[in-house]
Amino acid sequence: MDVVSPELNSLLPDEIMDTEAIEDIPHSQSETVVPMETDVPVPTENLSICSNATLMEPTQTLTTSAATDSTLCVSLVPSPLLTIKPAMATSTATTKTTDSVTGTTVSAGGLQKLTTQFAISAANHQIILNKLASSQATEASKSAAASAQVIKQEGQKLLVTAIGKSGQPIVLQLPHTGSKPGVSQTSGDTKLQTPQFKVVTIGGRSELKPMVVNPGNQVTALQTQQLKTLQIPKKTPASSAAPIKFIITKTVNSKGLNPQTPVTPVIQGRVLTQTSPVMTSKTITLSEPLNTSLPSKKIAISPLKTPSKVTVVSVASPPSNASQKSVALPVSVALGQQILAVQQSTSASPIKVATSQPSAQNIKPVQTVPVAGVGGSQFKTIIPLAAQPNVQQIQVPGSRFHYVRLVTASTASSTGQSSVPNTSSVQTGKPVVVGTGAVRMSVPVVSAQTVKQVAPKPLTSATQVVTTTQTQQRLIMPATPLPQIQPGFTNLPPGTVLAPAPGGSNVGYTVVPAQYVTQIQQSPFVTLASNSSFPPSGAVQSQAKLPLNGVSAAETTSRPRKPCNCTKSQCLKLYCDCFANGEFCNNCNCNNCFNNLVHETERLKAIKTCLDRNPEAFKPKIGKGKEGESDRRHSKGCNCKRSGCLKNYCECYEAKIMCSSICKCIGCKNFEESPERKTLMHLADAAEVRVQQQTAAKTKLSSQISDLLMRTTPVLSSGGGRLPYTFVTKEVLEATCECLLEQAKKSELTRQPQVEAERMILEEFGHCLMSIISSAGKVKADCASINC
DNA sequence: GAGTTTGAAACT
DNA sequence: CAGTTTCAAACTC
């Protein structure tokens, strides 16, 4: 059975990637999503999918809760059926999620209760998602529905994000099966046979996941692979063998059951993809409590660039009766892959905080939001804050991920001292629980660059664990809403974290680029706000700089951006690249800079001004096209007049993309067949090759010299057999240089190509080195013979 | 490094 | 929306 109907199969990828086709849905004030870096409007649709995929846990239940009527809750229930629950947003409802570790069901406070379920027929194992905006999809879904007996239900949506692609998640409208037989989780018709769970990956491959369904709303994975992923294959012919058929439909800006009710802008947890077949990981669904009546805040963190894939590793919730809130550090990172992990910690934490509040209130879902980046899809993790949340920032040394820990005031101290382990897994796809105790969540901020930098070795084993020094760095987040800037939350600069403004700013919040968490940590505000029970920020910093996988934190956190030189804009206008990219100025050459925490009030105001002027001011200018293809284009197009669009004045050329029809440039030469462009490209390529060659040569030469010096390090007296480095005397060096110059002249006379000339010179240098070594060896032998 | 050119951003 | 000004980066010398 096809994972996706053929019609949709060819249709989906593009549409999924098409972010422009998806309308922005007004955001509710209480559920504000802060985009990090994206050209994708903050998705207002929510997808919540809870998945349990641990072999060890027989009681795993994936439950996603939707906060609003527009949300869709998907639950893996004991029956082989994949049950999708439409969230009937009720403020008092709680979402039950199964602890991935313990298998315990936990009620998340504030989460919308799933009151209605519609299940996918076990018989046909099909999920039909109606694409409302596409007649094709509709037809496809109809045809599929005929066999699957899936009923289309308005107002129920499933967000499907394109993995590895930027783009707004697609709202999948799921059929309501509440009235259908066999929908019930406790349905007695649950088959004991092991159903195969179809893993559908957007842009990826699909996998069959055998699942053991227990009659207790529990699903157990029989495979060692613990990842449960709902993925939609991109442009991949669906396998007819798939027992479960996913017919995906795209809903554009669906308003849900109640057209009068605006779609909640909050993004529910999403199931992301698992890319490494060898990696053991879990894809976990996050439950989103979407209650507009409740004061909630979401923290969007994530500067990301071009992650090919993002995996939400875990979203297990602690048992409802447990006061402990665990924090999982997402540390699994592979090249081209991002893993956002929010995993429930084990209850092993000795610290248990008794709280009068219902656990549901303490549990906040983590939202992972895909955002479009220049190079690829990006995901943001958004955390709604509890009534009085505090945020503790956690930084993993050597990683540019930024974690924000939400803790209650009463538990912060205990969390800080004992709840955070000092080790975390970095490699396995399965997140390692790093912290336990009162911590609610950890939110990774991941960028593609970060991934590349942090990425350890290729994941070959799920058991590889890299020990890192876990430090705690905190941001104290106010629990109150952010009325002042909420309207612009969805368009805040990429990588933005909301934090309280320092110095008692009346604004109340600080828009903090995630890249500058470190900066925040060093700010006086943080110091003052820091709980005494936590390690001093200085200690944290020192720990954070510990090398990870040979890469120091300093290296990994070095800003990739060039320093700005603003003089008049105070770095509070889009003239400033730092500001435009949602970053604080750091190590810049700017004058009178206000783009820092000290001037957060002004900065926030400036951000708002920019957003008022252009709601998409902080979104990437370069829209994301298909990967590997040239359809990336400038969102607005350039307006070049004199540069021919072949200089870096042109934003298109600078982004290494060709001008498009939306450009208003004059005399454009930046098009596919442009000879000028080709020439420039060839020159650039040649230059790049040369640089690479030279770099390689230098590296080799440096290595040889280093090796030589090592061998000639003084030691004859010590009997180590080394030669005295004094053999490399000035005379020897001069002679060597003469030889090299002679070789260069020779190659020049013979009109050798530069590459060949370089090779000849290097060879000559090698000969020189050999001669030196040989001579030194002879001297050593002579010396030894005379006992010198 | 200073000066010029350029085009996006900001302003009117 | 169009024209102008401001601004900082890119570029040239």
Side-chain angles (χ1 to χ4, degrees), chain A residues 346-402:
Chain A
T346 59
S347 60
S349 175
I351 299 174
K352 292 183 179 180
V353 177
T355 176
S356 59
Q357 294 177 344
S359 63
Q361 293 178 351
N362 292 332
I363 299 169
K364 294 297 179 182
V366 173
Q367 294 178 347
T368 298
V369 179
V371 295
V374 173
S377 66
Q378 297 176 352
F379 289 84
K380 299 179 295 184
T381 299
I382 298 171
I383 300 175
L385 298 180
Q388 292 180 346
N390 286 333
V391 175
Q392 292 184 349
Q393 182 177 355
I394 303 169
Q395 184 170 359
V396 177
S399 172
R400 293 185 65 186
F401 289 179
H402 299 292

Side-chain angles (χ1 to χ4, degrees), chain A residues 86 162 337 408:
Chain A
Q337 180 181 13
T408 59

Side-chain angles (χ1 to χ4, degrees), chain A residues 414-435:
Chain A
S414 62
T415 300
Q417 286 184 344
S418 60
S419 65
V420 175
N422 54 4
T423 61
S424 63
S425 172
V426 176
Q427 291 215 333
T428 178
K430 182 177 181 179
V432 174
V433 175
V434 176

Side-chain angles (χ1 to χ4, degrees), chain A residues 448-480:
Chain A
Q449 293 177 346
T450 299
V451 171
K452 291 180 180 179
Q453 292 175 348
V454 177
K457 326 163 210 185
L459 295 176
T460 56
S461 172
T463 59
Q464 283 184 327
V465 175
V466 175
T467 300
T468 61
T469 299
Q470 176 59 44
T471 61
Q472 295 184 9
Q473 300 172 353
R474 297 171 295 146
L475 290 177
I476 304 304
M477 304 292 292
T480 58

